[in-house]
Amino acid sequence: MPTALQHRPAIAADLDEVISFPQSAEELFFCYPKAAWPLDVGQLAAAMAERRESTVVTLDGKVAGFANFYQWQHGEFCALGNLMVAPWARGQGVAQYLLEVLEGIARDQYKAPVMKVSCFNANTGGLLLYTRLGYRPAAIVERRASDGARIALVQLEKSL
């Protein structure tokens, strides 16, 4: 993993960069299903306002990743949301680093013994990443894609 990876809380000035990360309506659906394509600062700011621990990862000083908790229950669990990686930074350990950072926050600040993630069945990269990092399927629930098609949401968990 590059030593150039660092993290910090996300700030309003990061949003212009982060909204450029999803490269298609499908990618946006994977990381923020309620958002409308194309992602804009208002939508992301609204998500940040109702979520916790919005965090960015920088690679060589440039914002390269973003994620937060969309659910949290102190002493019980945290659920990862809005995981996005800049196209230029993909395949360089950004998502793994970001997950490790948020797992640490969940464990240390929220005393959460479990981290939860949800990943759509069509998001092969996400499913492979999560399982490689120790997440195990806990449930599969039916959801609807933006075109109304049936889609499976795989809910995964990892003991912290």
Side-chain angles (χ1 to χ4, degrees):
M1 197 169 305
T3 55
L5 289 172
Q6 297 183 313
H7 66 278
R8 60 173 170 74
I11 57 173
D14 297 323
L15 300 188
D16 276 326
E17 187 66 29
V18 174
I19 63 168
S20 72
F21 293 176
Q23 295 295 289
S24 66
E26 181 182 50
E27 279 189 17
L28 178 59
F29 182 75
F30 289 164
C31 64
Y32 190 3
K34 292 180 181 173
W37 175 258
L39 184 58
D40 61 39
V41 168
Q43 292 181 91
L44 190 55
M48 281 180 60
E50 63 189 25
R51 296 174 180 225
R52 296 289 179 272
E53 306 301 334
S54 289
T55 301
V56 293
V57 167
T58 58
L59 175 59
D60 296 327
K62 192 171 172 198
V63 175
F66 175 89
N68 53 39
F69 297 144
Y70 74 93
Q71 292 178 333
W72 56 95
Q73 210 57 33
H74 193 86
E76 293 182 31
F77 72 91
C78 289
L80 182 84
N82 292 149
L83 177 62
M84 304 179 214
V85 176
W88 60 267
R90 293 176 186 174
Q92 299 184 60
V94 173
Q96 178 175 335
Y97 177 81
L98 189 49
L99 272 164
E100 290 168 355
V101 165
L102 286 165
E103 288 170 0
I105 292 170
R107 187 176 47 249
D108 300 340
Q109 295 179 31
Y110 290 79
K111 307 301 181 206
V114 173
M115 177 80 106
K116 297 181 177 189
V117 298
S118 294
C119 190
F120 288 105
N121 64 290
N123 185 354
T124 304
L127 290 170
L128 293 173
L129 171 72
Y130 295 133
T131 55
R132 183 170 53 80
L133 297 179
Y135 288 82
R136 295 292 167 249
I140 298 176
V141 294
E142 183 175 331
R143 291 288 191 264
R144 294 285 170 179
S146 51
D147 65 1
R150 294 171 72 202
I151 188 169
L153 183 65
V154 181
Q155 297 175 332
L156 304 104
E157 297 181 356
K158 178 181 180 178
S159 293
L160 301 177

